[in-house]
Amino acid sequence: MSKQLSIAVLEEEIKHYDEVFEVDFVGRNGESYVVKIHPYFKPEKVSATLREAGDFFNKAKEEKLVVPEFEQEDLIMFFIVKQFTNLKFTRSKKAKKVYSEFKIAINTPLFAEIVKAFPDESLEAVYKRMYEIQEKTQEFQEKYVKQAEEVFAEMKTKNKEIFAPKSE
């Protein structure tokens, strides 16, 4: 016999999102650093990560910052590291400053090591959510384009005199 699902049970189900572990890294200077990592990603934080990335790309467009397409996936990983570690980043919202930090981070071996510390299933959750959003966006665009075409066709039918070619 099945039990009734309750919030208390759901609360137990999400406790793993609160887990944190520390990873030691040694820099080129021989100094040891500790980075706290949240290995499991809450869906709400996945959404926040993607929003932050989207905001960055919008700001980059506004600031006329050209971000090569081949760097876009690495930028997503950069925002994952920002969201799910205690690594300190600028608070600046300027795309040029964020992009500058990205270029520094992406070129360091320590950044690659931090990325490797995340479980694959957590990283997959971000990309899965990103692709779901893209699919839904495309579905909505196709739906609204079709609706607009139907409205326009109806307008042409009802208002033939307006849409008729003018003879000179």
Side-chain angles (χ1 to χ4, degrees), residues 143-166:
K143 176 183 172 184
Y144 291 120
V145 165
K146 185 176 180 180
Q147 285 179 349
E149 288 171 346
E150 289 170 359
V151 167
F152 186 69
E154 187 178 319
M155 286 174 56
K156 281 177 76 173
T157 304
K158 288 182 178 177
N159 301 297
K160 289 180 185 176
E161 66 282 350
I162 295 173
F163 291 98
K166 295 184 179 185

mmCIF file of all heavy atoms in Angstrom, residues 143-166:
data_model
loop_
_atom_site.group_PDB
_atom_site.id
_atom_site.type_symbol
_atom_site.label_atom_id
_atom_site.label_comp_id
_atom_site.label_asym_id
_atom_site.label_seq_id
_atom_site.Cartn_x
_atom_site.Cartn_y
_atom_site.Cartn_z
ATOM 1 N N LYS A 143 4.464 29.083 -33.091
ATOM 2 C CA LYS A 143 3.018 29.236 -32.857
ATOM 3 C C LYS A 143 2.580 30.669 -33.152
ATOM 4 O O LYS A 143 1.591 30.900 -33.844
ATOM 5 C CB LYS A 143 2.693 28.867 -31.406
ATOM 6 C CG LYS A 143 1.253 29.069 -31.019
ATOM 7 C CD LYS A 143 1.036 28.756 -29.541
ATOM 8 C CE LYS A 143 -0.348 29.138 -29.093
ATOM 9 N NZ LYS A 143 -0.537 28.927 -27.666
ATOM 10 N N TYR A 144 3.320 31.638 -32.629
ATOM 11 C CA TYR A 144 2.919 33.037 -32.796
ATOM 12 C C TYR A 144 3.143 33.542 -34.222
ATOM 13 O O TYR A 144 2.377 34.370 -34.707
ATOM 14 C CB TYR A 144 3.595 33.930 -31.758
ATOM 15 C CG TYR A 144 3.043 33.653 -30.371
ATOM 16 C CD1 TYR A 144 3.863 33.230 -29.342
ATOM 17 C CD2 TYR A 144 1.681 33.773 -30.125
ATOM 18 C CE1 TYR A 144 3.342 32.954 -28.081
ATOM 19 C CE2 TYR A 144 1.154 33.500 -28.868
ATOM 20 C CZ TYR A 144 1.991 33.091 -27.854
ATOM 21 O OH TYR A 144 1.466 32.813 -26.623
ATOM 22 N N VAL A 145 4.158 33.032 -34.889
ATOM 23 C CA VAL A 145 4.350 33.390 -36.297
ATOM 24 C C VAL A 145 3.173 32.870 -37.105
ATOM 25 O O VAL A 145 2.618 33.578 -37.955
ATOM 26 C CB VAL A 145 5.693 32.848 -36.837
ATOM 27 C CG1 VAL A 145 5.743 32.892 -38.357
ATOM 28 C CG2 VAL A 145 6.857 33.631 -36.235
ATOM 29 N N LYS A 146 2.766 31.643 -36.834
ATOM 30 C CA LYS A 146 1.626 31.054 -37.548
ATOM 31 C C LYS A 146 0.357 31.864 -37.268
ATOM 32 O O LYS A 146 -0.423 32.163 -38.187
ATOM 33 C CB LYS A 146 1.426 29.596 -37.138
ATOM 34 C CG LYS A 146 0.346 28.893 -37.920
ATOM 35 C CD LYS A 146 0.230 27.435 -37.558
ATOM 36 C CE LYS A 146 -0.884 26.836 -38.388
ATOM 37 N NZ LYS A 146 -1.098 25.441 -38.124
ATOM 38 N N GLN A 147 0.142 32.229 -36.006
ATOM 39 C CA GLN A 147 -1.033 33.037 -35.656
ATOM 40 C C GLN A 147 -0.993 34.388 -36.368
ATOM 41 O O GLN A 147 -2.013 34.852 -36.875
ATOM 42 C CB GLN A 147 -1.117 33.256 -34.140
ATOM 43 C CG GLN A 147 -1.590 32.043 -33.384
ATOM 44 C CD GLN A 147 -1.625 32.295 -31.876
ATOM 45 O OE1 GLN A 147 -1.119 33.301 -31.381
ATOM 46 N NE2 GLN A 147 -2.206 31.359 -31.146
ATOM 47 N N ALA A 148 0.165 35.008 -36.404
ATOM 48 C CA ALA A 148 0.297 36.306 -37.078
ATOM 49 C C ALA A 148 0.008 36.159 -38.570
ATOM 50 O O ALA A 148 -0.659 37.010 -39.173
ATOM 51 C CB ALA A 148 1.688 36.880 -36.857
ATOM 52 N N GLU A 149 0.496 35.102 -39.175
ATOM 53 C CA GLU A 149 0.233 34.856 -40.599
ATOM 54 C C GLU A 149 -1.254 34.672 -40.852
ATOM 55 O O GLU A 149 -1.793 35.178 -41.842
ATOM 56 C CB GLU A 149 1.009 33.624 -41.080
ATOM 57 C CG GLU A 149 2.499 33.857 -41.203
ATOM 58 C CD GLU A 149 3.291 32.586 -41.463
ATOM 59 O OE1 GLU A 149 2.746 31.460 -41.292
ATOM 60 O OE2 GLU A 149 4.476 32.712 -41.836
ATOM 61 N N GLU A 150 -1.933 33.949 -39.947
ATOM 62 C CA GLU A 150 -3.379 33.739 -40.100
ATOM 63 C C GLU A 150 -4.141 35.051 -39.968
ATOM 64 O O GLU A 150 -5.062 35.321 -40.737
ATOM 65 C CB GLU A 150 -3.875 32.725 -39.056
ATOM 66 C CG GLU A 150 -3.411 31.305 -39.319
ATOM 67 C CD GLU A 150 -3.696 30.341 -38.173
ATOM 68 O OE1 GLU A 150 -4.254 30.768 -37.129
ATOM 69 O OE2 GLU A 150 -3.352 29.154 -38.306
ATOM 70 N N VAL A 151 -3.759 35.880 -39.009
ATOM 71 C CA VAL A 151 -4.417 37.181 -38.822
ATOM 72 C C VAL A 151 -4.188 38.051 -40.051
ATOM 73 O O VAL A 151 -5.113 38.703 -40.548
ATOM 74 C CB VAL A 151 -3.897 37.881 -37.536
ATOM 75 C CG1 VAL A 151 -4.316 39.340 -37.490
ATOM 76 C CG2 VAL A 151 -4.380 37.138 -36.299
ATOM 77 N N PHE A 152 -2.971 38.056 -40.555
ATOM 78 C CA PHE A 152 -2.654 38.861 -41.733
ATOM 79 C C PHE A 152 -3.460 38.377 -42.943
ATOM 80 O O PHE A 152 -4.008 39.195 -43.698
ATOM 81 C CB PHE A 152 -1.157 38.800 -42.029
ATOM 82 C CG PHE A 152 -0.726 39.718 -43.126
ATOM 83 C CD1 PHE A 152 -0.738 41.090 -42.952
ATOM 84 C CD2 PHE A 152 -0.301 39.210 -44.355
ATOM 85 C CE1 PHE A 152 -0.346 41.947 -43.957
ATOM 86 C CE2 PHE A 152 0.087 40.059 -45.368
ATOM 87 C CZ PHE A 152 0.068 41.434 -45.179
ATOM 88 N N ALA A 153 -3.549 37.059 -43.116
ATOM 89 C CA ALA A 153 -4.320 36.505 -44.235
ATOM 90 C C ALA A 153 -5.789 36.896 -44.107
ATOM 91 O O ALA A 153 -6.441 37.242 -45.102
ATOM 92 C CB ALA A 153 -4.170 34.985 -44.279
ATOM 93 N N GLU A 154 -6.310 36.864 -42.881
ATOM 94 C CA GLU A 154 -7.702 37.251 -42.651
ATOM 95 C C GLU A 154 -7.901 38.736 -42.955
ATOM 96 O O GLU A 154 -8.902 39.133 -43.547
ATOM 97 C CB GLU A 154 -8.094 36.942 -41.201
ATOM 98 C CG GLU A 154 -9.566 37.144 -40.908
ATOM 99 C CD GLU A 154 -9.916 36.769 -39.473
ATOM 100 O OE1 GLU A 154 -9.407 35.746 -38.969
ATOM 101 O OE2 GLU A 154 -10.697 37.528 -38.864
ATOM 102 N N MET A 155 -6.948 39.552 -42.547
ATOM 103 C CA MET A 155 -7.024 40.988 -42.822
ATOM 104 C C MET A 155 -7.025 41.248 -44.330
ATOM 105 O O MET A 155 -7.773 42.091 -44.826
ATOM 106 C CB MET A 155 -5.844 41.730 -42.177
ATOM 107 C CG MET A 155 -5.947 41.877 -40.682
ATOM 108 S SD MET A 155 -4.458 42.598 -39.945
ATOM 109 C CE MET A 155 -4.278 44.114 -40.831
ATOM 110 N N LYS A 156 -6.212 40.510 -45.066
ATOM 111 C CA LYS A 156 -6.149 40.680 -46.518
ATOM 112 C C LYS A 156 -7.487 40.317 -47.158
ATOM 113 O O LYS A 156 -7.934 40.984 -48.094
ATOM 114 C CB LYS A 156 -5.028 39.812 -47.111
ATOM 115 C CG LYS A 156 -3.657 40.408 -46.958
ATOM 116 C CD LYS A 156 -2.573 39.506 -47.489
ATOM 117 C CE LYS A 156 -2.515 39.532 -48.998
ATOM 118 N NZ LYS A 156 -1.357 38.780 -49.529
ATOM 119 N N THR A 157 -8.117 39.284 -46.611
ATOM 120 C CA THR A 157 -9.404 38.849 -47.153
ATOM 121 C C THR A 157 -10.487 39.878 -46.860
ATOM 122 O O THR A 157 -11.290 40.204 -47.730
ATOM 123 C CB THR A 157 -9.806 37.484 -46.541
ATOM 124 O OG1 THR A 157 -8.761 36.554 -46.791
ATOM 125 C CG2 THR A 157 -11.094 36.965 -47.122
ATOM 126 N N LYS A 158 -10.518 40.403 -45.656
ATOM 127 C CA LYS A 158 -11.557 41.354 -45.251
ATOM 128 C C LYS A 158 -11.326 42.745 -45.835
ATOM 129 O O LYS A 158 -12.260 43.515 -45.974
ATOM 130 C CB LYS A 158 -11.627 41.453 -43.721
ATOM 131 C CG LYS A 158 -12.216 40.236 -43.063
ATOM 132 C CD LYS A 158 -12.294 40.437 -41.556
ATOM 133 C CE LYS A 158 -12.919 39.233 -40.891
ATOM 134 N NZ LYS A 158 -12.936 39.376 -39.452
ATOM 135 N N ASN A 159 -10.100 43.089 -46.106
ATOM 136 C CA ASN A 159 -9.766 44.440 -46.558
ATOM 137 C C ASN A 159 -9.066 44.406 -47.915
ATOM 138 O O ASN A 159 -7.978 44.948 -48.086
ATOM 139 C CB ASN A 159 -8.870 45.133 -45.528
ATOM 140 C CG ASN A 159 -9.524 45.224 -44.170
ATOM 141 O OD1 ASN A 159 -10.545 45.867 -44.023
ATOM 142 N ND2 ASN A 159 -8.943 44.551 -43.195
ATOM 143 N N LYS A 160 -9.725 43.799 -48.880
ATOM 144 C CA LYS A 160 -9.115 43.623 -50.197
ATOM 145 C C LYS A 160 -8.700 44.947 -50.824
ATOM 146 O O LYS A 160 -7.669 45.038 -51.474
ATOM 147 C CB LYS A 160 -10.087 42.892 -51.126
ATOM 148 C CG LYS A 160 -10.263 41.450 -50.762
ATOM 149 C CD LYS A 160 -11.228 40.773 -51.702
ATOM 150 C CE LYS A 160 -11.458 39.353 -51.221
ATOM 151 N NZ LYS A 160 -12.431 38.651 -52.005
ATOM 152 N N GLU A 161 -9.510 45.983 -50.602
ATOM 153 C CA GLU A 161 -9.196 47.276 -51.235
ATOM 154 C C GLU A 161 -7.904 47.880 -50.700
ATOM 155 O O GLU A 161 -7.182 48.572 -51.407
ATOM 156 C CB GLU A 161 -10.359 48.275 -51.084
ATOM 157 C CG GLU A 161 -10.660 48.731 -49.659
ATOM 158 C CD GLU A 161 -11.439 47.728 -48.788
ATOM 159 O OE1 GLU A 161 -11.947 46.709 -49.311
ATOM 160 O OE2 GLU A 161 -11.521 47.961 -47.584
ATOM 161 N N ILE A 162 -7.578 47.628 -49.459
ATOM 162 C CA ILE A 162 -6.360 48.169 -48.874
ATOM 163 C C ILE A 162 -5.134 47.414 -49.405
ATOM 164 O O ILE A 162 -4.105 48.002 -49.699
ATOM 165 C CB ILE A 162 -6.396 48.092 -47.333
ATOM 166 C CG1 ILE A 162 -7.505 48.987 -46.785
ATOM 167 C CG2 ILE A 162 -5.052 48.462 -46.724
ATOM 168 C CD1 ILE A 162 -7.737 48.855 -45.308
ATOM 169 N N PHE A 163 -5.283 46.102 -49.548
ATOM 170 C CA PHE A 163 -4.154 45.275 -49.925
ATOM 171 C C PHE A 163 -4.046 45.046 -51.435
ATOM 172 O O PHE A 163 -3.099 44.422 -51.902
ATOM 173 C CB PHE A 163 -4.219 43.911 -49.197
ATOM 174 C CG PHE A 163 -3.971 44.034 -47.722
ATOM 175 C CD1 PHE A 163 -5.018 44.079 -46.815
ATOM 176 C CD2 PHE A 163 -2.673 44.123 -47.254
ATOM 177 C CE1 PHE A 163 -4.782 44.210 -45.459
ATOM 178 C CE2 PHE A 163 -2.433 44.242 -45.894
ATOM 179 C CZ PHE A 163 -3.482 44.289 -44.984
ATOM 180 N N ALA A 164 -5.009 45.545 -52.179
ATOM 181 C CA ALA A 164 -4.976 45.390 -53.647
ATOM 182 C C ALA A 164 -3.847 46.235 -54.217
ATOM 183 O O ALA A 164 -3.594 47.346 -53.746
ATOM 184 C CB ALA A 164 -6.308 45.803 -54.244
ATOM 185 N N PRO A 165 -3.165 45.737 -55.223
ATOM 186 C CA PRO A 165 -2.104 46.546 -55.838
ATOM 187 C C PRO A 165 -2.711 47.795 -56.484
ATOM 188 O O PRO A 165 -3.788 47.754 -57.076
ATOM 189 C CB PRO A 165 -1.489 45.624 -56.891
ATOM 190 C CG PRO A 165 -2.346 44.402 -56.941
ATOM 191 C CD PRO A 165 -3.310 44.439 -55.830
ATOM 192 N N LYS A 166 -2.028 48.881 -56.326
ATOM 193 C CA LYS A 166 -2.521 50.156 -56.859
ATOM 194 C C LYS A 166 -2.132 50.270 -58.324
ATOM 195 O O LYS A 166 -1.009 49.982 -58.702
ATOM 196 C CB LYS A 166 -1.948 51.333 -56.076
ATOM 197 C CG LYS A 166 -2.433 51.350 -54.646
ATOM 198 C CD LYS A 166 -1.948 52.566 -53.928
ATOM 199 C CE LYS A 166 -2.508 52.494 -52.513
ATOM 200 N NZ LYS A 166 -2.213 53.639 -51.744
#
